[in-house]
Amino acid sequence: MLHSRSYLHPFPARMAPNIALEEIERFDAGSIIVDPMVGSGTVAMTAVAAGHQFYGFDLDPLAALIAQVSTSCLDYDRVRGLFETIIRQARLNSATPADLPWVEVEDETHKFIGFWFADKQKRALSGIAVELDRLHQSEPSKEVDALKIALSRIIVTKESKASLARDTSHSRPHRVAKTSDYDVFKGFEQSVTQMLQRHSKLKIDGNATIQRGDARKIDSIGDGFCDAIVSSPPYLNAIDYLRGHKLSLVWLGFTIPQIRQLRSMSVGAERATTKSVEMVSKVLAGFGDISNLAPRQKAMISRYAIDLHRLSKEAERILKPNGTALYVMGNSCLKGVYIDNASALANAAELVGLTLLDRSEREIPLGSRYLPTPKENNALASRMRKEIVLKFQKVAFSS
Ligand SMILES: C[S@@+](CC[C@H](N)C(=O)[O-])C[C@H]1O[C@@H](n2cnc3c(N)ncnc32)[C@H](O)[C@@H]1O
């Protein structure tokens, strides 16, 4: 069965909502399921719709916020009431740009905002952002979080709306204008209405806890905690999730240096500082012919291998004995070299003691692909159009 989902906010790499998701419905009712890289919450939404207990983590604060709001019951009247309060105050203050308390004297974020936003929109956004922050500081709630998502929906867009950029929702923002007539207040109001309509179509039967966190080290979860892990890790070199989200996050309490710090913790984001170790070469067996790649690319691949190993180790730690880990992975192409991300994950998982139960491949449905679909019709192109579902078990050994 193909699940249709009502999504609250654009996201560049959603998990295609079947196969792994159908698997979720087969777990015993009330199972504890974790997605350590929750993204915008496709797995989370399916798990709570099926009545499970769900825990999700993501480094990206916007992803965590979208997933949280998508899996929480909301008081719609309260959302509308808070919206009225915010908009009234922001309109009153819109003559001059309000100072964002989290930016204060930090120059890089000011410059960033000055580049991507025109004055009129900057004044309106800063008025709204300051009010959202004030409400959040005095009484944090799901309803305030929902309004943050509604605001972000007019920034992280394909065509430019509140910012001067287009393609922000595809993680590749580029500035296409120097001025804009966009009415932020009106756009925000429409966005709140649309978001609530979409939210009302969600089925929320279980409960979800979503936090910002690093999948490679989930401190808040104890050993042997969950029945299953269902996730889709980033592919090598595929998507820089924070590149587009930055435009929103600067209005939601984050500075550019803070976002840069988060980015450096993203799976496969940067080069490894360590020299190649034995573990790296074991993870990379079958990964692809990387021998002719430049040292810079090889270093990035080493870091990816180290990250996959850390992810797997953490997965093994938090799973109950006999628990299942299910991952959806696609392939990459780096400087013309075909990269088999799924093999690397399978190697990493087996190195930490997880047993591979099943590996299946399927064509990626049109429109669900994370990366541009290759036009050619050769063997490489056809492998790039597939995604791989890997199913592992933490086998319990009896003594
Ligand atoms: C392919 S998306 C996940 C899609 C998600 N499973 C879904 O159901 O829509 C990959 C996610 O991994 C997150 N990520 C990357 N590195 C991470 C890390 N070290 N810890 C936690 N999340 C991370 C990214 O921010 C991104 O949201």
Side-chain angles (χ1 to χ4, degrees), residues 7 11 13-16 21 35-44 57-60 63 213-216 230-235 241-242 245 262 265-268 303 307 311 328 370:
Y7 289 110
F11 196 76
R14 257 186 248 289
M15 192 192 247
L21 302 180
D35 183 347
M37 292 154 288
V38 71
S40 60
T42 311
V43 172
F57 301 86
D58 207 288
L59 275 182
D60 175 355
D214 187 343
R216 301 166 306 169
V230 180
S231 200
S232 48
Y235 312 164
Y241 298 87
L242 286 161
H245 292 177
L262 290 175
M265 293 154 71
S266 297
V267 169
R303 158 72 191 262
D307 281 345
L311 278 184
V328 179
Y370 308 158

Coordinates of all heavy atoms in Angstrom, one line a residue, residues 7 11 13-16 21 35-44 57-60 63 213-216 230-235 241-242 245 262 265-268 303 307 311 328 370, ligand 1:
Y7 N 2.1 16.8 4.1 CA 3.3 17.3 4.7 C 3.1 18.8 5.0 O 2.5 19.6 4.3 CB 4.5 17.2 3.7 CG 4.9 15.8 3.5 CD1 4.7 15.1 2.4 CD2 5.6 15.1 4.6 CE1 5.1 13.8 2.2 CE2 6.0 13.8 4.4 CZ 5.7 13.1 3.3 OH 6.1 11.8 3.1
F11 N 10.8 19.7 2.3 CA 12.0 19.1 2.8 C 12.7 18.4 1.7 O 12.1 17.7 0.9 CB 11.7 18.1 3.9 CG 12.9 17.7 4.8 CD1 13.3 18.6 5.7 CD2 13.6 16.5 4.6 CE1 14.5 18.3 6.5 CE2 14.7 16.2 5.3 CZ 15.1 17.1 6.3
A13 N 14.9 15.9 1.3 CA 15.1 14.5 1.1 C 14.2 13.7 2.0 O 14.7 13.2 3.0 CB 16.6 14.2 1.4
R14 N 13.0 13.6 1.6 CA 12.1 12.8 2.4 C 12.2 11.4 2.0 O 12.5 11.0 0.9 CB 10.7 13.2 2.0 CG 10.0 14.1 2.9 CD 8.5 14.2 2.5 NE 8.3 15.5 2.0 CZ 8.1 16.6 2.8 NH1 8.4 16.4 4.1 NH2 7.9 17.7 2.4
M15 N 12.0 10.5 3.0 CA 12.1 9.1 2.7 C 10.8 8.8 1.9 O 9.7 9.3 2.2 CB 12.0 8.3 4.0 CG 12.3 6.9 3.8 SD 11.9 6.0 5.4 CE 13.4 5.5 6.0
A16 N 11.0 8.0 0.8 CA 9.8 7.6 0.0 C 8.8 6.8 0.9 O 9.3 5.8 1.5 CB 10.2 6.8 -1.2
L21 N 8.2 1.9 5.4 CA 7.1 2.4 6.2 C 6.1 1.3 6.4 O 5.4 1.2 7.4 CB 6.5 3.7 5.5 CG 7.6 4.8 5.3 CD1 6.9 6.0 4.7 CD2 8.2 5.2 6.7
D35 N 14.0 6.9 15.0 CA 14.6 7.3 13.7 C 15.7 8.3 14.2 O 15.3 9.5 14.5 CB 13.6 7.9 12.7 CG 14.4 8.3 11.4 OD1 15.6 8.4 11.4 OD2 13.6 8.6 10.4
P36 N 17.0 8.0 14.2 CA 18.0 8.9 14.7 C 18.3 10.0 13.7 O 19.1 10.9 14.1 CB 19.2 8.0 14.9 CG 18.9 6.7 14.2 CD 17.5 6.7 13.7
M37 N 17.8 10.0 12.5 CA 18.0 11.1 11.5 C 16.6 11.3 11.0 O 16.3 11.0 9.8 CB 19.0 10.6 10.4 CG 20.4 10.5 11.0 SD 21.4 9.3 10.0 CE 20.7 7.8 10.5
V38 N 15.8 12.0 11.8 CA 14.3 12.0 11.6 C 13.9 12.8 10.4 O 12.8 12.6 9.8 CB 13.6 12.4 12.9 CG1 13.8 13.8 13.2 CG2 12.2 12.0 12.9
G39 N 14.7 13.7 9.9 CA 14.4 14.6 8.8 C 13.0 15.3 9.1 O 12.8 15.7 10.2
S40 N 12.2 15.4 8.1 CA 10.9 16.1 8.3 C 9.9 15.1 8.9 O 8.7 15.5 9.0 CB 10.4 16.7 7.0 OG 10.3 15.7 6.1
G41 N 10.3 13.9 9.2 CA 9.4 13.0 10.0 C 8.5 12.1 9.2 O 7.5 11.7 9.8
T42 N 8.9 11.6 8.1 CA 8.1 10.6 7.4 C 7.9 9.3 8.2 O 6.8 8.8 8.4 CB 8.7 10.3 6.0 OG1 9.0 11.5 5.3 CG2 7.7 9.5 5.1
V43 N 9.0 8.8 8.7 CA 9.0 7.6 9.6 C 8.2 8.0 10.8 O 7.3 7.2 11.3 CB 10.4 7.2 9.9 CG1 10.4 6.1 11.0 CG2 11.2 6.8 8.7
A44 N 8.4 9.1 11.4 CA 7.8 9.5 12.6 C 6.2 9.5 12.5 O 5.5 9.0 13.3 CB 8.2 10.9 13.1
F57 N 15.5 12.0 16.3 CA 16.6 13.0 16.6 C 17.0 13.5 15.2 O 17.0 12.8 14.2 CB 17.7 12.3 17.2 CG 17.3 11.6 18.5 CD1 16.8 10.4 18.6 CD2 17.5 12.3 19.7 CE1 16.4 9.8 19.8 CE2 17.1 11.8 20.9 CZ 16.5 10.5 20.9
D58 N 17.4 14.7 15.2 CA 18.1 15.3 14.0 C 19.0 16.5 14.5 O 18.6 17.2 15.4 CB 17.1 15.8 13.0 CG 17.6 15.7 11.6 OD1 18.5 16.6 11.3 OD2 17.2 14.9 10.8
L59 N 20.1 16.6 13.8 CA 21.0 17.7 14.1 C 20.4 19.1 13.6 O 20.6 20.1 14.2 CB 22.2 17.6 13.2 CG 23.4 16.7 13.7 CD1 24.5 16.9 12.6 CD2 23.9 17.2 15.0
D60 N 19.6 19.0 12.6 CA 19.0 20.2 11.9 C 17.8 20.6 12.8 O 16.8 19.9 12.8 CB 18.6 19.8 10.5 CG 17.9 21.0 9.8 OD1 17.6 22.0 10.4 OD2 17.6 20.8 8.6
A63 N 14.5 20.6 10.9 CA 14.0 19.2 10.7 C 13.3 18.7 12.0 O 12.2 18.2 11.9 CB 15.1 18.2 10.3
G213 N 19.6 16.2 18.1 CA 20.6 15.3 18.7 C 21.4 14.7 17.5 O 21.1 14.9 16.4
D214 N 22.5 14.1 17.9 CA 23.5 13.5 17.0 C 23.3 12.0 16.9 O 23.5 11.3 18.0 CB 24.9 13.9 17.5 CG 26.0 13.5 16.4 OD1 25.7 12.7 15.6 OD2 27.1 14.0 16.6
A215 N 23.0 11.5 15.8 CA 22.7 10.1 15.6 C 23.9 9.2 16.0 O 23.8 8.0 16.3 CB 22.3 9.8 14.2
R216 N 25.1 9.8 16.0 CA 26.3 9.1 16.2 C 26.5 8.9 17.8 O 27.4 8.2 18.2 CB 27.5 9.7 15.6 CG 27.3 9.9 14.1 CD 28.3 10.8 13.5 NE 28.3 12.1 14.2 CZ 29.2 13.1 14.0 NH1 30.2 12.9 13.2 NH2 29.1 14.2 14.7
V230 N 14.3 2.7 12.3 CA 13.9 2.9 10.9 C 14.5 4.2 10.5 O 14.1 5.3 11.1 CB 12.4 2.8 10.7 CG1 12.1 3.0 9.2 CG2 11.8 1.5 11.2
S231 N 15.3 4.3 9.4 CA 15.9 5.5 9.1 C 16.4 5.6 7.6 O 16.5 4.5 7.0 CB 17.1 5.9 10.0 OG 17.3 7.2 10.0
S232 N 16.8 6.7 7.2 CA 17.5 6.9 5.9 C 18.6 7.9 6.1 O 18.4 9.1 6.1 CB 16.5 7.3 4.8 OG 15.8 8.4 5.2
P233 N 19.8 7.3 6.2 CA 21.0 8.2 6.4 C 21.3 9.0 5.2 O 20.9 8.6 4.1 CB 22.1 7.2 6.7 CG 21.5 5.9 6.9 CD 20.2 5.9 6.2
P234 N 21.9 10.2 5.4 CA 22.4 10.9 4.2 C 23.3 10.1 3.3 O 24.1 9.3 3.8 CB 23.1 12.1 4.7 CG 22.7 12.2 6.2 CD 22.4 10.8 6.6
Y235 N 23.2 10.2 2.0 CA 24.1 9.5 1.1 C 25.4 10.4 1.0 O 25.4 11.5 1.3 CB 23.6 9.5 -0.4 CG 22.2 9.0 -0.5 CD1 21.5 9.3 -1.8 CD2 21.5 8.4 0.5 CE1 20.2 8.9 -2.0 CE2 20.2 8.0 0.3 CZ 19.6 8.2 -0.9 OH 18.3 7.8 -1.2
Y241 N 21.7 19.8 3.9 CA 20.3 20.1 4.3 C 20.3 21.5 4.9 O 19.3 22.3 4.8 CB 19.9 19.2 5.4 CG 19.8 17.8 4.9 CD1 20.9 16.9 4.9 CD2 18.6 17.3 4.4 CE1 20.8 15.6 4.4 CE2 18.5 16.0 3.9 CZ 19.6 15.2 3.9 OH 19.5 13.9 3.4
L242 N 21.4 21.9 5.6 CA 21.3 23.2 6.3 C 21.5 24.4 5.4 O 21.2 25.5 5.8 CB 22.4 23.2 7.4 CG 22.0 22.3 8.6 CD1 23.2 22.0 9.4 CD2 20.9 23.0 9.5
H245 N 18.1 25.7 4.8 CA 17.4 25.9 6.1 C 17.9 27.1 6.9 O 17.3 27.7 7.7 CB 17.4 24.6 6.9 CG 16.6 23.5 6.3 ND1 16.5 22.3 6.8 CD2 15.8 23.5 5.2 CE1 15.7 21.6 6.1 NE2 15.3 22.3 5.1
L262 N 26.8 23.0 13.6 CA 25.9 21.8 13.4 C 26.3 21.1 12.1 O 26.3 19.9 12.1 CB 24.5 22.3 13.4 CG 23.9 22.8 14.6 CD1 22.4 23.3 14.4 CD2 23.8 21.7 15.7
M265 N 28.9 18.6 12.1 CA 28.6 17.3 12.7 C 27.7 16.4 11.8 O 27.4 15.3 12.2 CB 27.8 17.5 14.1 CG 28.7 18.2 15.1 SD 27.7 19.1 16.3 CE 26.9 17.8 17.2
S266 N 27.3 16.9 10.7 CA 26.4 16.1 9.8 C 27.1 14.9 9.2 O 28.3 15.0 8.9 CB 25.9 17.0 8.7 OG 25.1 18.0 9.2
V267 N 26.4 13.8 9.0 CA 27.0 12.6 8.5 C 27.7 12.9 7.1 O 27.0 13.4 6.2 CB 26.0 11.5 8.4 CG1 26.5 10.3 7.6 CG2 25.5 11.1 9.8
G268 N 29.0 12.6 7.0 CA 29.7 12.8 5.8 C 29.9 14.2 5.3 O 30.3 14.4 4.2
R303 N 35.7 10.1 6.1 CA 34.8 10.6 7.2 C 33.4 10.0 7.1 O 32.8 9.6 8.1 CB 34.7 12.1 7.0 CG 33.5 12.8 7.6 CD 33.6 12.9 9.2 NE 32.3 13.3 9.6 CZ 32.0 14.6 10.0 NH1 32.9 15.5 10.0 NH2 30.8 14.9 10.4
D307 N 31.6 7.9 10.0 CA 30.3 8.2 10.5 C 29.3 7.0 10.4 O 28.6 6.8 11.3 CB 29.7 9.4 9.6 CG 30.3 10.7 10.0 OD1 30.8 10.8 11.1 OD2 30.1 11.7 9.3
L311 N 27.4 5.5 13.5 CA 25.9 5.4 13.5 C 25.5 3.9 13.8 O 24.6 3.7 14.6 CB 25.4 5.6 12.0 CG 25.2 7.0 11.5 CD1 24.5 6.8 10.1 CD2 24.2 7.7 12.4
V328 N 17.0 2.8 4.6 CA 16.8 3.0 3.1 C 18.0 3.8 2.6 O 18.3 4.9 3.2 CB 15.5 3.7 2.8 CG1 15.4 3.9 1.3 CG2 14.3 2.9 3.3
Y370 N 15.8 12.0 -4.3 CA 16.5 13.0 -3.6 C 17.4 13.8 -4.5 O 17.7 15.0 -4.3 CB 17.4 12.5 -2.5 CG 16.7 11.5 -1.5 CD1 17.5 10.6 -0.8 CD2 15.3 11.5 -1.4 CE1 16.8 9.8 0.1 CE2 14.7 10.7 -0.5 CZ 15.5 9.8 0.2 OH 14.9 8.9 1.1
Ligands
LIG1 C1 17.5 11.5 4.3 S1 17.1 12.6 5.6 C2 16.1 11.6 6.7 C3 14.7 11.4 6.1 C4 13.8 10.9 7.2 N1 14.2 9.5 7.6 C5 12.4 10.9 6.8 O1 11.7 10.0 7.2 O2 11.9 11.8 6.1 C6 18.7 12.6 6.5 C7 18.6 13.4 7.7 O3 19.8 13.1 8.5 C8 20.1 14.3 9.3 N2 21.5 14.2 9.8 C9 22.7 14.2 9.2 N3 23.7 14.0 10.1 C10 23.1 13.8 11.3 C11 23.6 13.4 12.6 N4 25.0 13.3 12.8 N5 22.7 13.2 13.6 C12 21.4 13.4 13.4 N6 20.9 13.7 12.2 C13 21.7 13.9 11.1 C14 19.9 15.4 8.3 O4 19.8 16.7 9.0 C15 18.7 15.0 7.5 O5 17.5 15.5 8.1

